[in-house]
Amino acid sequence: MEIPLPLVARGKVRELYAVDDDHLLLVASDRLSAYDVVLPTPVPDKGAVLTGLSLWWFDQLADVVPHHLVTARVAEYPAVLQPVAGALRGRSMLVRRLAMVPVECVARGYLTGSGLADYRATGGVCGVPLPDGLSDGSLLPSPIFTPATKAEVGEHDENVSFDAVADSVGRELAEELRRVTLAVYARGAALAAERGILLADTKLELGHDRSGVLTLGDEVLTPDSSRFWPAAGWQPGRAQPSFDKQYVRDWLSSSGWDRTAPGPELPASVVEQTRAKYVEAYERLTGSSFDDYLRSA
Ligand code: Q0Z
């Protein structure tokens, strides 16, 4: 369904539209990426699960940092959007436009991905020194702030040191980004742990509102912005199973696909198992029924 607003940005699996000078509409699709490729087969309700999780986390984090959400109830959206309300329900958010800080704010409690690559090359991550002997999936001595600069479309974000962030945006703001990012991680990891889920790492986008207040933007603590691992399967020294995408990765690995675009269509069984994992993530983390969320949106 065509959204009757100017497109501001298109990510791999979501879109951002201009509503007016002060507001944007964030729309999450049901597309899924694996091994950096967007797959041709959508996972029904994935966009709604990620949106519902962000909404819940914004609420959980409200005493840590203010957020950009205005409303996710389509009946409260501007009149121009009412003809497409059905297409937006559950998977969109009307948000305040922020002046985004040009830093990807990442916190890590466990070592994997680009953090692991950085550690193997330098003995630390983003200039933060780490003890010897860590491996893929290791618990870090304490969570660390590992900022990155946003890459061009198709490129990976580049890890940078805290000092590089301070040189770019000023030391005071850099320190505020680190403090907020680690506080969001701490709250997220604690809540997830109560539900048997490890939060390995998370990426935040922060911006300033019209009054200059540092505000949480974008999506937050979703499976697309964070790594969630089942606590029961955690075993450092190997790649950890992903809470949400493991069925997809396992199927893709045995499919013979060479990881170049376009990816293969997924079988219905993989789609259904993956949808169930997303819904399970929503229900385990929030303690609420996903059907109730959809009815409320
Ligand atoms: C978020 C993104 C994309 C979705 C810009 N409240 C805000 N104010 C200003 N800018 C943003 C936000 Cl959320 C903003 N992004 C990332 C890109 C789809 C989100 F294509 N970019």
PDB file of all heavy atoms in Angstrom, residues 7-12 14-16 24 26-27 68 95-100 150 205 216-219, ligand 1:
ATOM      1  N   LEU A   7       8.837  10.317   1.072  1.00  0.00           N
ATOM      2  CA  LEU A   7       9.782   9.364   1.676  1.00  0.00           C
ATOM      3  C   LEU A   7      11.059  10.116   2.045  1.00  0.00           C
ATOM      4  O   LEU A   7      11.657  10.788   1.210  1.00  0.00           O
ATOM      5  CB  LEU A   7      10.089   8.251   0.676  1.00  0.00           C
ATOM      6  CG  LEU A   7      11.002   7.123   1.147  1.00  0.00           C
ATOM      7  CD1 LEU A   7      10.318   6.280   2.229  1.00  0.00           C
ATOM      8  CD2 LEU A   7      11.409   6.236  -0.029  1.00  0.00           C
ATOM      9  N   VAL A   8      11.465   9.998   3.310  1.00  0.00           N
ATOM     10  CA  VAL A   8      12.677  10.682   3.795  1.00  0.00           C
ATOM     11  C   VAL A   8      13.879   9.749   3.719  1.00  0.00           C
ATOM     12  O   VAL A   8      14.985  10.151   3.370  1.00  0.00           O
ATOM     13  CB  VAL A   8      12.491  11.154   5.253  1.00  0.00           C
ATOM     14  CG1 VAL A   8      13.781  11.717   5.825  1.00  0.00           C
ATOM     15  CG2 VAL A   8      11.370  12.172   5.346  1.00  0.00           C
ATOM     16  N   ALA A   9      13.665   8.501   4.093  1.00  0.00           N
ATOM     17  CA  ALA A   9      14.762   7.538   4.118  1.00  0.00           C
ATOM     18  C   ALA A   9      14.178   6.145   3.995  1.00  0.00           C
ATOM     19  O   ALA A   9      13.052   5.886   4.425  1.00  0.00           O
ATOM     20  CB  ALA A   9      15.569   7.662   5.410  1.00  0.00           C
ATOM     21  N   ARG A  10      14.969   5.294   3.371  1.00  0.00           N
ATOM     22  CA  ARG A  10      14.557   3.895   3.255  1.00  0.00           C
ATOM     23  C   ARG A  10      15.697   3.059   3.796  1.00  0.00           C
ATOM     24  O   ARG A  10      16.833   3.176   3.343  1.00  0.00           O
ATOM     25  CB  ARG A  10      14.253   3.592   1.785  1.00  0.00           C
ATOM     26  CG  ARG A  10      14.384   2.136   1.399  1.00  0.00           C
ATOM     27  CD  ARG A  10      13.721   1.849   0.068  1.00  0.00           C
ATOM     28  NE  ARG A  10      12.315   1.564   0.273  1.00  0.00           N
ATOM     29  CZ  ARG A  10      11.342   1.921  -0.532  1.00  0.00           C
ATOM     30  NH1 ARG A  10      11.609   2.650  -1.585  1.00  0.00           N
ATOM     31  NH2 ARG A  10      10.106   1.581  -0.274  1.00  0.00           N
ATOM     32  N   GLY A  11      15.408   2.250   4.810  1.00  0.00           N
ATOM     33  CA  GLY A  11      16.403   1.311   5.315  1.00  0.00           C
ATOM     34  C   GLY A  11      16.195  -0.028   4.629  1.00  0.00           C
ATOM     35  O   GLY A  11      15.372  -0.151   3.721  1.00  0.00           O
ATOM     36  N   LYS A  12      16.933  -1.028   5.063  1.00  0.00           N
ATOM     37  CA  LYS A  12      16.807  -2.340   4.421  1.00  0.00           C
ATOM     38  C   LYS A  12      15.403  -2.898   4.614  1.00  0.00           C
ATOM     39  O   LYS A  12      14.864  -3.535   3.710  1.00  0.00           O
ATOM     40  CB  LYS A  12      17.840  -3.320   5.000  1.00  0.00           C
ATOM     41  CG  LYS A  12      19.152  -3.282   4.225  1.00  0.00           C
ATOM     42  CD  LYS A  12      19.999  -4.517   4.456  1.00  0.00           C
ATOM     43  CE  LYS A  12      20.616  -4.479   5.820  1.00  0.00           C
ATOM     44  NZ  LYS A  12      21.797  -5.331   5.974  1.00  0.00           N
ATOM     45  N   ARG A  14      12.780  -1.004   6.563  1.00  0.00           N
ATOM     46  CA  ARG A  14      11.769  -0.041   7.019  1.00  0.00           C
ATOM     47  C   ARG A  14      11.914   1.267   6.286  1.00  0.00           C
ATOM     48  O   ARG A  14      12.894   1.481   5.583  1.00  0.00           O
ATOM     49  CB  ARG A  14      11.849   0.158   8.531  1.00  0.00           C
ATOM     50  CG  ARG A  14      13.146   0.687   8.990  1.00  0.00           C
ATOM     51  CD  ARG A  14      13.712  -0.112  10.139  1.00  0.00           C
ATOM     52  NE  ARG A  14      15.010   0.450  10.410  1.00  0.00           N
ATOM     53  CZ  ARG A  14      15.222   1.425  11.272  1.00  0.00           C
ATOM     54  NH1 ARG A  14      14.252   1.861  12.047  1.00  0.00           N
ATOM     55  NH2 ARG A  14      16.397   1.960  11.399  1.00  0.00           N
ATOM     56  N   GLU A  15      10.882   2.109   6.444  1.00  0.00           N
ATOM     57  CA  GLU A  15      10.856   3.384   5.743  1.00  0.00           C
ATOM     58  C   GLU A  15      10.504   4.497   6.711  1.00  0.00           C
ATOM     59  O   GLU A  15       9.875   4.265   7.751  1.00  0.00           O
ATOM     60  CB  GLU A  15       9.810   3.363   4.618  1.00  0.00           C
ATOM     61  CG  GLU A  15      10.176   2.475   3.441  1.00  0.00           C
ATOM     62  CD  GLU A  15       9.616   1.072   3.589  1.00  0.00           C
ATOM     63  OE1 GLU A  15       8.464   0.944   4.057  1.00  0.00           O
ATOM     64  OE2 GLU A  15      10.326   0.106   3.260  1.00  0.00           O
ATOM     65  N   LEU A  16      10.920   5.686   6.336  1.00  0.00           N
ATOM     66  CA  LEU A  16      10.680   6.876   7.141  1.00  0.00           C
ATOM     67  C   LEU A  16      10.052   7.935   6.239  1.00  0.00           C
ATOM     68  O   LEU A  16      10.597   8.219   5.169  1.00  0.00           O
ATOM     69  CB  LEU A  16      12.032   7.352   7.680  1.00  0.00           C
ATOM     70  CG  LEU A  16      12.090   8.440   8.729  1.00  0.00           C
ATOM     71  CD1 LEU A  16      11.393   7.996  10.006  1.00  0.00           C
ATOM     72  CD2 LEU A  16      13.558   8.775   9.027  1.00  0.00           C
ATOM     73  N   LEU A  24       7.614  12.757  11.942  1.00  0.00           N
ATOM     74  CA  LEU A  24       7.936  11.733  10.951  1.00  0.00           C
ATOM     75  C   LEU A  24       7.078  10.507  11.221  1.00  0.00           C
ATOM     76  O   LEU A  24       6.588  10.316  12.341  1.00  0.00           O
ATOM     77  CB  LEU A  24       9.416  11.334  11.066  1.00  0.00           C
ATOM     78  CG  LEU A  24      10.459  12.427  10.824  1.00  0.00           C
ATOM     79  CD1 LEU A  24      11.847  11.929  11.220  1.00  0.00           C
ATOM     80  CD2 LEU A  24      10.443  12.874   9.372  1.00  0.00           C
ATOM     81  N   LEU A  26       7.468   6.426  11.029  1.00  0.00           N
ATOM     82  CA  LEU A  26       8.399   5.287  10.895  1.00  0.00           C
ATOM     83  C   LEU A  26       7.559   4.051  10.592  1.00  0.00           C
ATOM     84  O   LEU A  26       6.640   3.736  11.353  1.00  0.00           O
ATOM     85  CB  LEU A  26       9.082   5.071  12.241  1.00  0.00           C
ATOM     86  CG  LEU A  26      10.557   5.343  12.418  1.00  0.00           C
ATOM     87  CD1 LEU A  26      10.888   5.383  13.900  1.00  0.00           C
ATOM     88  CD2 LEU A  26      11.372   4.281  11.730  1.00  0.00           C
ATOM     89  N   VAL A  27       7.876   3.356   9.524  1.00  0.00           N
ATOM     90  CA  VAL A  27       7.097   2.182   9.130  1.00  0.00           C
ATOM     91  C   VAL A  27       8.021   0.969   9.028  1.00  0.00           C
ATOM     92  O   VAL A  27       9.004   0.993   8.277  1.00  0.00           O
ATOM     93  CB  VAL A  27       6.381   2.414   7.782  1.00  0.00           C
ATOM     94  CG1 VAL A  27       5.533   1.201   7.417  1.00  0.00           C
ATOM     95  CG2 VAL A  27       5.518   3.676   7.847  1.00  0.00           C
ATOM     96  N   HIS A  68      11.129   9.623  21.323  1.00  0.00           N
ATOM     97  CA  HIS A  68      10.512  10.436  20.266  1.00  0.00           C
ATOM     98  C   HIS A  68       9.067  10.066  19.955  1.00  0.00           C
ATOM     99  O   HIS A  68       8.434  10.737  19.132  1.00  0.00           O
ATOM    100  CB  HIS A  68      11.361  10.391  18.990  1.00  0.00           C
ATOM    101  CG  HIS A  68      11.431   9.043  18.319  1.00  0.00           C
ATOM    102  ND1 HIS A  68      11.769   8.891  16.993  1.00  0.00           N
ATOM    103  CD2 HIS A  68      11.228   7.787  18.789  1.00  0.00           C
ATOM    104  CE1 HIS A  68      11.761   7.595  16.677  1.00  0.00           C
ATOM    105  NE2 HIS A  68      11.435   6.909  17.749  1.00  0.00           N
ATOM    106  N   VAL A  95       6.346   9.978  15.161  1.00  0.00           N
ATOM    107  CA  VAL A  95       7.406  10.412  16.081  1.00  0.00           C
ATOM    108  C   VAL A  95       7.754  11.878  15.877  1.00  0.00           C
ATOM    109  O   VAL A  95       7.473  12.461  14.829  1.00  0.00           O
ATOM    110  CB  VAL A  95       8.681   9.541  15.909  1.00  0.00           C
ATOM    111  CG1 VAL A  95       8.363   8.067  16.144  1.00  0.00           C
ATOM    112  CG2 VAL A  95       9.328   9.753  14.536  1.00  0.00           C
ATOM    113  N   ARG A  96       8.355  12.450  16.910  1.00  0.00           N
ATOM    114  CA  ARG A  96       8.863  13.819  16.799  1.00  0.00           C
ATOM    115  C   ARG A  96      10.152  13.816  15.992  1.00  0.00           C
ATOM    116  O   ARG A  96      11.009  12.964  16.166  1.00  0.00           O
ATOM    117  CB  ARG A  96       9.120  14.413  18.192  1.00  0.00           C
ATOM    118  CG  ARG A  96       7.851  14.861  18.891  1.00  0.00           C
ATOM    119  CD  ARG A  96       8.171  15.443  20.244  1.00  0.00           C
ATOM    120  NE  ARG A  96       8.685  14.404  21.127  1.00  0.00           N
ATOM    121  CZ  ARG A  96       9.613  14.603  22.061  1.00  0.00           C
ATOM    122  NH1 ARG A  96      10.147  15.800  22.224  1.00  0.00           N
ATOM    123  NH2 ARG A  96      10.006  13.608  22.829  1.00  0.00           N
ATOM    124  N   ARG A  97      10.278  14.792  15.138  1.00  0.00           N
ATOM    125  CA  ARG A  97      11.505  14.928  14.362  1.00  0.00           C
ATOM    126  C   ARG A  97      12.609  15.429  15.287  1.00  0.00           C
ATOM    127  O   ARG A  97      12.421  16.408  16.017  1.00  0.00           O
ATOM    128  CB  ARG A  97      11.262  15.933  13.228  1.00  0.00           C
ATOM    129  CG  ARG A  97      12.168  15.769  12.036  1.00  0.00           C
ATOM    130  CD  ARG A  97      11.979  16.936  11.098  1.00  0.00           C
ATOM    131  NE  ARG A  97      10.900  16.770  10.135  1.00  0.00           N
ATOM    132  CZ  ARG A  97      11.094  16.389   8.867  1.00  0.00           C
ATOM    133  NH1 ARG A  97      12.302  16.089   8.439  1.00  0.00           N
ATOM    134  NH2 ARG A  97      10.073  16.318   8.035  1.00  0.00           N
ATOM    135  N   LEU A  98      13.726  14.759  15.261  1.00  0.00           N
ATOM    136  CA  LEU A  98      14.882  15.132  16.081  1.00  0.00           C
ATOM    137  C   LEU A  98      16.029  15.575  15.172  1.00  0.00           C
ATOM    138  O   LEU A  98      16.060  15.232  14.006  1.00  0.00           O
ATOM    139  CB  LEU A  98      15.361  13.934  16.912  1.00  0.00           C
ATOM    140  CG  LEU A  98      14.324  13.214  17.776  1.00  0.00           C
ATOM    141  CD1 LEU A  98      14.949  11.968  18.414  1.00  0.00           C
ATOM    142  CD2 LEU A  98      13.785  14.154  18.863  1.00  0.00           C
ATOM    143  N   ALA A  99      16.967  16.305  15.763  1.00  0.00           N
ATOM    144  CA  ALA A  99      18.251  16.553  15.088  1.00  0.00           C
ATOM    145  C   ALA A  99      19.165  15.412  15.515  1.00  0.00           C
ATOM    146  O   ALA A  99      19.691  15.419  16.633  1.00  0.00           O
ATOM    147  CB  ALA A  99      18.808  17.907  15.503  1.00  0.00           C
ATOM    148  N   MET A 100      19.300  14.420  14.646  1.00  0.00           N
ATOM    149  CA  MET A 100      20.004  13.200  15.043  1.00  0.00           C
ATOM    150  C   MET A 100      21.497  13.457  15.251  1.00  0.00           C
ATOM    151  O   MET A 100      22.129  14.190  14.497  1.00  0.00           O
ATOM    152  CB  MET A 100      19.817  12.103  13.991  1.00  0.00           C
ATOM    153  CG  MET A 100      18.363  11.704  13.736  1.00  0.00           C
ATOM    154  SD  MET A 100      17.402  11.322  15.223  1.00  0.00           S
ATOM    155  CE  MET A 100      18.171   9.780  15.709  1.00  0.00           C
ATOM    156  N   LYS A 150      28.068   6.041  11.069  1.00  0.00           N
ATOM    157  CA  LYS A 150      27.099   5.498  10.125  1.00  0.00           C
ATOM    158  C   LYS A 150      27.737   5.414   8.749  1.00  0.00           C
ATOM    159  O   LYS A 150      28.292   6.376   8.236  1.00  0.00           O
ATOM    160  CB  LYS A 150      25.867   6.407  10.082  1.00  0.00           C
ATOM    161  CG  LYS A 150      24.607   5.709   9.667  1.00  0.00           C
ATOM    162  CD  LYS A 150      23.435   6.688   9.688  1.00  0.00           C
ATOM    163  CE  LYS A 150      22.145   5.978   9.382  1.00  0.00           C
ATOM    164  NZ  LYS A 150      21.747   5.039  10.417  1.00  0.00           N
ATOM    165  N   GLU A 205      19.910   5.135  18.433  1.00  0.00           N
ATOM    166  CA  GLU A 205      20.053   6.408  17.720  1.00  0.00           C
ATOM    167  C   GLU A 205      19.480   7.476  18.620  1.00  0.00           C
ATOM    168  O   GLU A 205      18.333   7.387  19.064  1.00  0.00           O
ATOM    169  CB  GLU A 205      19.278   6.370  16.404  1.00  0.00           C
ATOM    170  CG  GLU A 205      19.666   5.191  15.536  1.00  0.00           C
ATOM    171  CD  GLU A 205      20.290   5.579  14.204  1.00  0.00           C
ATOM    172  OE1 GLU A 205      20.622   6.773  14.024  1.00  0.00           O
ATOM    173  OE2 GLU A 205      20.445   4.688  13.372  1.00  0.00           O
ATOM    174  N   LEU A 216      15.790   9.630  22.751  1.00  0.00           N
ATOM    175  CA  LEU A 216      15.943   8.343  22.082  1.00  0.00           C
ATOM    176  C   LEU A 216      15.062   8.314  20.836  1.00  0.00           C
ATOM    177  O   LEU A 216      13.855   8.564  20.927  1.00  0.00           O
ATOM    178  CB  LEU A 216      15.531   7.247  23.071  1.00  0.00           C
ATOM    179  CG  LEU A 216      15.785   5.787  22.744  1.00  0.00           C
ATOM    180  CD1 LEU A 216      17.223   5.539  22.334  1.00  0.00           C
ATOM    181  CD2 LEU A 216      15.401   4.939  23.950  1.00  0.00           C
ATOM    182  N   GLY A 217      15.663   8.010  19.682  1.00  0.00           N
ATOM    183  CA  GLY A 217      14.908   7.960  18.430  1.00  0.00           C
ATOM    184  C   GLY A 217      14.841   6.545  17.893  1.00  0.00           C
ATOM    185  O   GLY A 217      15.252   5.587  18.552  1.00  0.00           O
ATOM    186  N   ASP A 218      14.295   6.435  16.693  1.00  0.00           N
ATOM    187  CA  ASP A 218      14.326   5.198  15.929  1.00  0.00           C
ATOM    188  C   ASP A 218      13.631   4.056  16.675  1.00  0.00           C
ATOM    189  O   ASP A 218      12.708   4.263  17.440  1.00  0.00           O
ATOM    190  CB  ASP A 218      15.786   4.860  15.622  1.00  0.00           C
ATOM    191  CG  ASP A 218      15.946   4.177  14.271  1.00  0.00           C
ATOM    192  OD1 ASP A 218      15.000   3.523  13.827  1.00  0.00           O
ATOM    193  OD2 ASP A 218      17.008   4.286  13.675  1.00  0.00           O
ATOM    194  N   GLU A 219      14.076   2.834  16.425  1.00  0.00           N
ATOM    195  CA  GLU A 219      13.567   1.669  17.147  1.00  0.00           C
ATOM    196  C   GLU A 219      14.514   1.411  18.308  1.00  0.00           C
ATOM    197  O   GLU A 219      15.659   1.860  18.284  1.00  0.00           O
ATOM    198  CB  GLU A 219      13.505   0.454  16.224  1.00  0.00           C
ATOM    199  CG  GLU A 219      14.850   0.048  15.629  1.00  0.00           C
ATOM    200  CD  GLU A 219      14.769  -1.183  14.730  1.00  0.00           C
ATOM    201  OE1 GLU A 219      13.787  -1.932  14.783  1.00  0.00           O
ATOM    202  OE2 GLU A 219      15.722  -1.385  13.949  1.00  0.00           O
TER     203      GLU A 219
HETATM  204  C1  Q0Z B   1      15.880   7.912  11.853  1.00  0.00           C
HETATM  205  C2  Q0Z B   1      15.915   5.337   9.765  1.00  0.00           C
HETATM  206  C3  Q0Z B   1      15.086   4.615   7.627  1.00  0.00           C
HETATM  207  C4  Q0Z B   1      13.827   4.203   9.520  1.00  0.00           C
HETATM  208  C5  Q0Z B   1      16.532   9.481  10.521  1.00  0.00           C
HETATM  209  N1  Q0Z B   1      12.769  11.038  15.199  1.00  0.00           N
HETATM  210  C6  Q0Z B   1      13.663  11.184  14.178  1.00  0.00           C
HETATM  211  N2  Q0Z B   1      14.026  12.421  13.785  1.00  0.00           N
HETATM  212  C7  Q0Z B   1      14.893  12.579  12.787  1.00  0.00           C
HETATM  213  N3  Q0Z B   1      15.426  11.579  12.110  1.00  0.00           N
HETATM  214  C8  Q0Z B   1      15.133  10.314  12.444  1.00  0.00           C
HETATM  215  C9  Q0Z B   1      14.218  10.071  13.497  1.00  0.00           C
HETATM  216 CL1  Q0Z B   1      13.752   8.510  13.976  1.00  0.00          CL
HETATM  217  C10 Q0Z B   1      15.793   9.265  11.668  1.00  0.00           C
HETATM  218  N4  Q0Z B   1      16.608   7.385  10.856  1.00  0.00           N
HETATM  219  C11 Q0Z B   1      16.964   5.993  10.623  1.00  0.00           C
HETATM  220  C12 Q0Z B   1      16.070   5.236   8.396  1.00  0.00           C
HETATM  221  C13 Q0Z B   1      13.983   4.089   8.186  1.00  0.00           C
HETATM  222  C14 Q0Z B   1      14.790   4.811  10.308  1.00  0.00           C
HETATM  223  F1  Q0Z B   1      15.226   4.555   6.317  1.00  0.00           F
HETATM  224  N5  Q0Z B   1      17.016   8.321  10.036  1.00  0.00           N
END
